[in-house]
Amino acid sequence: MQRLDHSFKAMGGPARFRMEVDDVGLADAAVTAAVAEVERLERKYSRYLDDSLTNRINLAAGTGEVVPVDAETAGLLHYATTVWRESGGLFDLTSGVLRRAWDFRSGRLPEQSEIDAILPLVGWDKVTWDEQGVSLPLKDMELDFGGCVKEYAADSAAAQLQRHGVQCALVDLAGDMAAAGAPRHGPGWPIGIRHPRARDSAAATVILPQGGLASSGDYERCMEIDGVRYGHILNPITGWPVGGLVAVSVLAEQCLVAGSAATVAMLKPASQGLEWLDGLGLPWLAIDRDLQCHGNLLEGGSD
């Protein structure tokens, strides 16, 4: 049994596969297939690529055109609709357009009028879609799969590794994790949960035996003005950065589910976010603004 690592760049960040294999040749073919799967999903859903499905949908906004979608995309739209409904409108794939008002490198807060001009373009309930196609009714509206596609890609890559004979692997797409089988010597993969205020430190270490682990926090893109920290996670209802929990990690059967659960918790006020997480029945860890840890993810799962 050999431990292999494969690192590459994908979806705007570092990506890594960790595997335990008996057959290195089999692993090479599996890695090739899994990398190809991640790259396929990036080509299909990235808003940065001119020929992506996402870009075609957005270019048709306000024209009345219904852009055809396949079963995979319809499945993601179904999932987004469910989470939007369950979150009271907080998880919204149309909210990416708010980035037009927020430049976190500028050190400047937008005027409320700038936000107010964009908010009418936000609202999943405005989107028309079915199994065959999707249409955005207003010019300049946007659909952004960035809130779920990286987690979906982690699940898909793990499935590809298993399909090609690798029964013990960890997929890491810039912190979104999917495990396909635990290492031979140990209960699972040890994973450090990043400390939200100390970049190179871990707030905790957890064990991922199988399934997905996703984290969300206010530390990826942020700015501090007059002692107030403004993170990149924007409330689609107000247009302003969230002010509740500072970091959330969730373990679920799928990374896709873990990611949306963590994001919704971040979008809620701190007490409501903790209640939301507690009601999911999933292992979770949350850090509040006083840097206090909450949750059950460490129970029986720390190293």
Side-chain angles (χ1 to χ4, degrees), residues 16 24 29 51-52 64 98 102 104 145 204-205 225 227 243 253 267 276 292:
R16 184 185 184 193
V24 174
D51 59 347
S52 71
L98 288 165
W102 289 92
F104 290 95
F145 287 94
T205 300
I225 299 175
E253 188 173 337
L267 285 163
W276 159 266
Q292 297 298 308

Side-chain angles (χ1 to χ4, degrees), residues 159-246:
Q160 282 290 338
L161 291 173
Q162 279 197 311
R163 194 170 294 127
H164 285 78
V166 176
Q167 298 305 315
C168 177
L170 177 69
V171 173
D172 179 356
L173 300 185
D176 290 321
M177 314 270 190
R184 177 169 294 183
H185 301 293
W189 299 93
I191 296 171
I193 302 295
R194 176 177 167 179
H195 193 288
R197 297 295 180 263
R199 183 176 183 86
D200 296 324
S201 298
T205 300
V206 301
I207 300 298
L208 179 62
Q210 181 78 20
L213 177 70
S215 299
S216 185
D218 69 355
Y219 43 76
E220 288 298 337
R221 296 189 307 278
C222 62
M223 59 184 175
E224 193 167 309
I225 299 175
D226 297 329
V228 179
R229 190 183 188 90
Y230 297 90
H232 74 286
I233 301 174
L234 304 175
N235 185 309
I237 298 170
T238 68
W240 281 82
V242 298
L245 300 167
V246 300

